[in-house]
Amino acid sequence: MTAYVSAFDLFSIGVGPSSSHTVGPMRAALDFAHRLSATGVLPQVARVGSTLYGSLGATGIGHGTPDAVVAGLRGLAPETCDPAEVRSAWTDFPPGGMLSIDGSHAVPFAKEDIVFAPRTRLPGHPNAMTLTAWTEDGSVLIEETYYSVGGGFIRRDGEDAKLTTAGFPYCYADAASLLALCDEHGLSIAELARLNETSVRSEEEVAAGLDAIWEAMSGCVDAGLHAEGVLPGILKVKRRAGVIRGQLEEVEADGHRELPGEWLGAFALAVNEENAAGGRVVTAPTNGAAGILPAVAMYWWRFLADSGLGAGNAVTPYGELVGSALLGFDATSPQGAVAEPDGVDEALVAEANRRRGIRRFLLTATALGSLFKANASISGAEGGCQAEVGSACAMAAGGLTAVMGGTNRQIENAAEIAMEHHLGLTCDPIGGLVQIPCIERNAIAASTAVTAARLALRGDGSHYVSLDAVVETMRQTGLDMSTKYKETSEGGLAVNVIEC
């Protein structure tokens, strides 16, 4: 069994505000609805309901969990639904209304059919939920328990989480074996990830899929930068990304230098404000940490890609990474940037190089993120925010190091630095909302990722603490961490700010 998780599982396009509390429960409810249809018992269903346990019960309303459950039961999928339909699915459900299960079988439903049980924790995972279908006489027709294990991944009780893991040619259990594999076969980390992806999908599908992930990420950045108003929920948090964008554009319009570091923070705020508003986001690897990778990637795209510090400096020729034919050119430079054939517009070449760099960034981040998921956790309810923001920061640091020309060991070093300085980070969202401290925390972590990458690039890749040691430390710290600091809003800022 390999630690590697496909990029298309780790980076899934969904809705906010939480991968574990919104996307996961929505997928669980959708799976339950599909099972009712597939087994032929749907016509016998007279009523459905769900019980939300542990962290799902504690912060479910603030995270939109009951809305997600109802949307999933209706047959909506997080990848394709209109986010507005999810936000109101339970909150605005009319008294005496009918719920159309899987979009085809209507039954009576009331908001009280979603039950919250925050004090009950099932042994399988802190994020647990049971879905039940009853017959007309009140007998249980089907009952299933699901665990939302982080990053939008779900596991039905008695089964393993649904991941694309079969058929990968390059299997590794930890960072040490990942580096050893790369050494043995003369591969970059991104190249190894690409070969794993193309073992189950065509080269064209991998390239198009990675491009779609980036389009969703960059679209989320843009949407957040141009939005205004107040975020939903009792805190009435004002959006700031759009205001900061205006300030930065005004400074730059006056002829002053660009402010990359401040733009980096604005990019991260933009994504997480969109997430908090229930908009379209990419789990990276979770929604609570969704702003870090897009912010760092956009920082590279806008400020570094054309500066000689980006796609043209890779140690392994990037033409070998994605296949030059996918970009419409036949030649590549020795460093991996696309060479400019006669008669081809220079801007088009630059755009192609950026896309190649983003693919390398995402593939590198995938290989690293897989380590955190396999050997520790990416779930705030399981490991605290170190598992979400810490993992995302490490993935972003490694990805940036890769596109800045770093070696495999410099990439591993960058990820280690980033994760090391998030150890022990708690998850205590005020009001159970993915807003305070979550939004600002993404901006700070994006800056940390850039710093970690730059520190690693100044070294030769050798360092005292290994990434594997930090991953194991994060796992142990998560086990030791009090439950009240793991996405229950029962401790830390969630309590002290309200009490004050």
Side-chain angles (χ1 to χ4, degrees), residues 248-280:
L248 294 176
E249 289 178 343
E250 185 176 341
V251 169
E252 292 169 0
D254 289 339
H256 298 287
R257 65 182 179 86
E258 291 185 310
L259 302 169
E262 294 197 46
W263 275 110
L264 172 68
F267 297 152
L269 292 179
V271 172
N272 282 86
E273 286 174 357
E274 278 297 288
N275 178 64
R280 176 72 65 204

Side-chain angles (χ1 to χ4, degrees), residues 492-500:
L493 286 174
V495 173
N496 291 325
V497 170
I498 300 299
E499 287 181 347
C500 292

